[in-house]
Amino acid sequence: MRSGRKPLLSKLATNDGHAENSPYFDGWKAYERDPFHPTRNADGVIQMGLAENQLCFDMIEEWLINNPQASICTAQGLGMFKDTAIFQDYHGLPEFRNAVAKFMGRVRGNRAKFDPDRIVMSGGATGAHELISFCLADPGDTFLVPTPYYPGFDRDVCWRTGVQLLPVVCDSSNGFMVTRNALESAYENAKAANTPVKGLLITNPSNPLGTVLDKETLRDILSFVNEKNIHLVSDEIYSATVFNDKPRFTGVSEIIEEDQTLCNPNLVHVIYSLSKDLGFPGFRVGIVYSYNDEVVGCARKMSSFGLVSSQTQHLVASLLSDDVFVEKFLSESARRLENRHRIFTDNLDQVGIKCLQRNAGLFQLMDLSHLLRDKTFEAEMELWKVIIDEVKLNISPGSSFHSSEPGWFRVCIANMDDQTVDVALRRIRAFVSRSEGAMAASAKKKRCWQNQNRKLRVSLSYRRMEELMMMPPLSPIPQSPLLRAQT
Amino acid sequence: MGILSKKATCNSHGQDSSYFLGWQEYEKNPYHESLNPSGIIQMGLAENQLSFDLLESWIAQNPDAAGFKRDGQSIFRELALFQDYHGLPAFKEALVEFMSEIRGKRVGFDPRNIVLTAGATSANEALMFCLAEAGDAILIPTPYYPGFDRDLKWRTGAEIVPIQCTSSNGFKITASALEEAYATAHRQNLRVKAVLVTNPSNPLGTTMSEDELNLLVTFVISKGIHLVSDEIYSGTVFSSPSFKSIVEVLSERPDCRQSASDVWDRVHIVYSLSKDLGLPGFRVGAIYSSNRAVVEAATKMSSFGLVSSQTQYFLSAMLSDKKFTGHYIAENRRRLGQRHESLVRGLREAGIRCLDSNAGLFCWVDMRHLLKSNTFEAEIELWKKIVYEVRLNISPGSSCHCTEPGWFRVCFANMTEETLGLSMRRIKEFVAAYSGAASTPSCGGCGGDEMRNHRHHSKGSSGKNKFLNKWVFRLSPSHRREADDR
């Protein structure tokens, strides 16, 4: 029997569920084509769309030099090579789990304690989100997620799992706080649409907002999920990027340890990773931490599909077991993040750009609504293209984060050196004064000229975008020097 | 609501199979030459521990790769930030050249066709997600690696339909078995999407013959389906016939010329460094395909299980050293061949035969003559005796979906020569007692010497000592005195 017209590949392989056709990645493509370099390409596009933490590598490199045994390939560590290389137990190295559990507690000022036996490995937070979705939900089930949210969730939570995300709309009228009303309303919408809600996904500290949830809101959230008997997945991957106590970071763990009657712990799960707090996205260290024993058991079996390299487990275990280093690192990292934050907010403020008040994350949310031609997402995209093409900054438009209000842009500020910060701020200042200068002209003439100019600029921008679309698919990650290196 | 997903509560992860239960027994009572000499010897884990010294000596001579350095300069920052799912180009190049070298450079591979994943476990699953979905079936020849039940079916929703192979022809795939499997799938209302073979085979330890390979190619061409060749043991071929990869066969067939057929779009290879290099902990797997759509989709999916950049860098340095790889491939093969010979000889002295094999980290052992009856119940009964009394964790054929009772997979590359020798002595004693006696006392299989020389452990730092505690309390009455002496 011949196969006839049976499709060659699966639906998953050919659909858009990977979410990479979103404009979120177009900016990265612009960067790939023309990456900024302080000496070799001073006019290039500066990458401000990638939430990396590059502020503390010097501290880690120094630690590595002083701790050669952390690598199983140095003379000091070679004795561990064989045992580590054959270790593929999905429980993970005990010392790895112990060190990560201790670190997570430390990051929360020891106000919560983590059990190493509940630590489950995954392929980065990306893998962790997919894994927890597979454990908690079936195809067709829904997770509620407050907007704006990290675009990667569309892929991580939904693509291969068949789970859907339904937004809980939050807006700037109250600083994007997650209200009980918004939660109830989203839940009712889902019910009415016959899409059973299985859980709520929160990111705390938030990406893209950079804010932390206050205790009251968290208690509200926990009581909400308990009442509806749905799961709570709390993505806390930015927990160590909180740089001051205004307000202090509170994770869900602290609350449920404090008040054991508030929520059934079987509904509570935490996602963690070392990619943001330590700046190690390349090492793929993701963690699923669940208070539900059955979930731990299932997740552990599933973790086979994305275990952390034992070589990396060994390194991380050594690093995070060094209490003196960890203390030093956490306080210095917070100091540097706060410093970078202040530089940006002060400078942006001077040119009339307000940012959402925050005390965490690796990025700012800028309010550029006053620069929009009108309060529409089309206008937001137009402005974004101008910023990429003319200002040469790859920043992320709020629409890519499913924001309900146009005009917000996320700009990453911890992934560059001080020199590049200067250049970026200079360009922003220049752009704002150009825009303001243009706006000072008479209204009618101005509108006419602007329309023509804008159309020209926009059409130029669109053409360039189209050219970029024709390029072979690139990873949504900026070009690393390693791509050009010879071994 | 609040309950878990169906995947969380079902059994498709396959972890209740006897394959894993044997491991659990081993965990409770693991052999250790000084701490627990009468413990269970692990012969159920297909690891390659024979050539670590070669790796370690390379590492000692190449400190840069160890210390996140290139040419003396630290590249820690770049590595720590490198999360590009296209993978480190230097590593992919080194990997495809290594794959080519293993195949005697008879075929070349394009690094752009490689997708890196966290182990072959992840590679197989990601490939299935790309090729199949619920309602689809993958045909796999029996016996097969028990992990496939989890890797290929669990989260993808695809089904496995076995291609029955038997000892009558050395478990080779036949045209009729292929057709039979195809028809079976249709009777179950499943669409056949692919055939998946492991070559060299796990658990058989044999390389597929040219006839079999050609048969497969003809079959997938006629059905218009995919062919996945899991070649993770390709570097373990220690004697003739030499390994022939599926891509070699395709290259030689006139009906597979790119102009004549689109079969190249449907042939995919899975690889890993867990067996050939003995590095399962590092989670290095790969999908190789010349189908661009598959490569693109699988690359995006690899986000869920990328290879650590630290590991990619280290291995790119090692595998780029051609002097090292040439020596390693040859020496590794030689040692595997030698070890294989020791096992085969030891079993022969116990009157036990193995399937003739030329690859892998294990033998496919024929213990049908030791079965009380030609049933799987008898096979499990024999297996339990071997685990609990002979104290060898071997894998019963039923866990590998073998259609005939009495076959067992026995690993030989994950222990020292001495331990292998001990396991052979235990088997010989068992067979002698088993064939002679009507029933055996509960410790009849225990080697008397080891029990008398047994020393109890003192608090050690090894995690395995936790398990020794539990074991001590399970000693039979005749050994209670030793327990009290602790």
Side-chain angles (χ1 to χ4, degrees), chain A residues 136 407 459:
Chain A
L136 303 181
S459 72

Side-chain angles (χ1 to χ4, degrees), chain A residues 168-189:
Chain A
V168 177
V169 180
C170 305
D171 60 61
S172 60
S173 63
N174 64 349
F176 297 97
M177 273 174 58
V178 182
T179 64
R180 187 68 180 244
N181 273 342
L183 288 172
E184 294 282 358
S185 146
Y187 185 85
E188 291 309 314
N189 286 343

